[in-house]
Amino acid sequence: MNDLRNPLQRALGLGSAKEGVNHWWRQRITALALFFLGLWFMALVLMLLHGDYTSVHATLADPINAVLMLVFIIALFWHMQLGLQVVIEDYVHTRWLGVVLQIAARFYAVLAALLAALAVLRIALGR
Amino acid sequence: MDHTRRPLSPHLGIYRWQVQMVSSILHRATGIALAVGTLLLLGGLLTLADGSTAFAAYRSFLAAPLLQILLIGWTWAFAYHLCNGVRHLLQDAGFGFAKPVFVRNGWIVVLLSLLLTILAWAWIVLAGCAP
């Protein structure tokens, strides 16, 4: 078969968008993680719904719950950014607005993830 | 530039509504709703870390009627995005592309997400009534 691409380009496998399948794979892997973590998070919220402050605090301070919450936060905000990126790419056709929204989504994802992670650490390690 | 006058896909005006397109649109819509909903997670964790006064204030904020209605919506968005996400992952693995299966799975996802939402809120209401 005729392939007009440079052999190097074919070997790198990055395609015309120059990013290869990285975005696609990260979206799927974070989705798989969030399937399990999402169910865990829902169960946790439903269990703690009517608990008092001390028991909610103690439950989240438990090392296993704290680590799962940290992983949940990372997977959640990463998956959120990847998803919003695709939506903005598909529906926002004004160039400058698209760029502004892409940057805003990334800024929010990083800020929110760090704020949430710091809160979990404060809860787990004692203030 | 007459080639730009052709109907371009997706051209929603000539589409008959069907579960395949609705499930795709809803996946994105619920994804955006859940992105906004991350503010609730953030609020919960920050107030929990801050202390019992802040956490109590956050809880009474969530107990407001408008927030309760929004929370039911967010519960459904979560359930739907979760169930439909599983459907998407199975499709990524190569399953469920035959048209009857695609339609059936689309409806299973919709019904399952509604069932999960009802179960979650039944639990919330019943647990809240317990002494």
Side-chain angles (χ1 to χ4, degrees):
Chain A
M1 291 296 286
N2 283 328
D3 193 338
L4 297 176
R5 284 179 299 173
N6 187 300
L8 177 63
Q9 289 301 96
R10 207 172 66 185
L12 291 172
L14 295 179
S16 59
K18 317 282 186 249
E19 282 195 349
V21 291
N22 280 340
H23 181 284
W24 192 91
W25 263 116
R26 283 167 191 164
Q27 196 169 35
R28 266 64 186 177
I29 292 168
T30 51
L32 186 64
L34 283 169
F35 171 75
F36 297 108
L37 292 166
L39 288 176
W40 164 81
F41 176 75
M42 253 316 161
L44 191 75
V45 169
L46 289 177
M47 289 297 159
L48 295 177
L49 210 58
H50 301 290
D52 60 357
Y53 175 79
T54 318
S55 64
V56 176
H57 195 278
T59 305
L60 206 59
D62 177 86
I64 292 176
N65 283 334
V67 167
L68 285 176
M69 186 60 88
L70 284 174
V71 182
F72 177 63
I73 288 163
I74 294 166
L76 177 71
F77 285 106
W78 197 355
H79 188 80
M80 180 198 77
Q81 186 275 318
L82 293 171
L84 289 177
Q85 181 185 339
V86 177
V87 171
I88 296 166
E89 282 169 357
D90 283 358
Y91 302 127
V92 180
H93 301 302
T94 310
R95 181 69 182 152
W96 68 266
L97 185 61
V99 173
V100 167
L101 288 175
Q102 295 286 14
I103 293 171
R106 282 165 169 81
F107 279 9
Y108 173 69
V110 172
L111 277 176
L114 287 178
L115 270 173
L118 182 64
V120 174
L121 290 177
R122 283 167 68 201
I123 294 162
L125 304 176
R127 285 175 292 137
Chain B
M1 298 291 280
D2 56 349
H3 63 276
T4 58
R5 290 175 180 273
R6 286 177 304 164
L8 299 171
S9 179
H11 189 58
L12 293 177
I14 60 165
Y15 264 61
R16 184 167 55 84
W17 284 82
Q18 46 184 315
V19 73
Q20 293 98 311
M21 69 190 282
V22 175
S23 63
S24 172
I25 293 167
L26 282 181
H27 198 70
R28 292 191 161 192
T30 51
I32 295 167
L34 290 170
V36 178
T38 58
L39 287 169
L40 292 179
L41 172 70
L42 209 52
L45 288 173
L46 289 175
T47 52
L48 186 63
D50 201 51
S52 57
T53 319
F55 195 59
Y58 184 65
R59 274 186 158 170
S60 57
F61 163 71
L62 291 184
L66 177 64
L67 259 295
Q68 291 283 300
I69 293 167
L70 285 174
L71 279 169
I72 295 173
W74 264 310
T75 310
W76 175 75
F78 177 87
Y80 181 84
H81 204 84
L82 186 84
C83 296
N84 201 51
V86 172
R87 191 183 66 80
H88 270 300
L89 287 175
L90 288 174
Q91 286 202 326
D92 291 335
F95 303 107
F97 277 101
K99 213 190 281 181
V101 184
F102 204 137
V103 172
R104 186 201 65 190
N105 289 350
W107 282 109
I108 287 176
V109 163
V110 170
L111 295 176
L112 193 61
S113 67
L114 291 171
L115 181 70
L116 285 173
T117 310
I118 292 167
L119 283 176
W121 280 86
W123 166 266
I124 291 166
V125 171
L126 293 175
C129 290

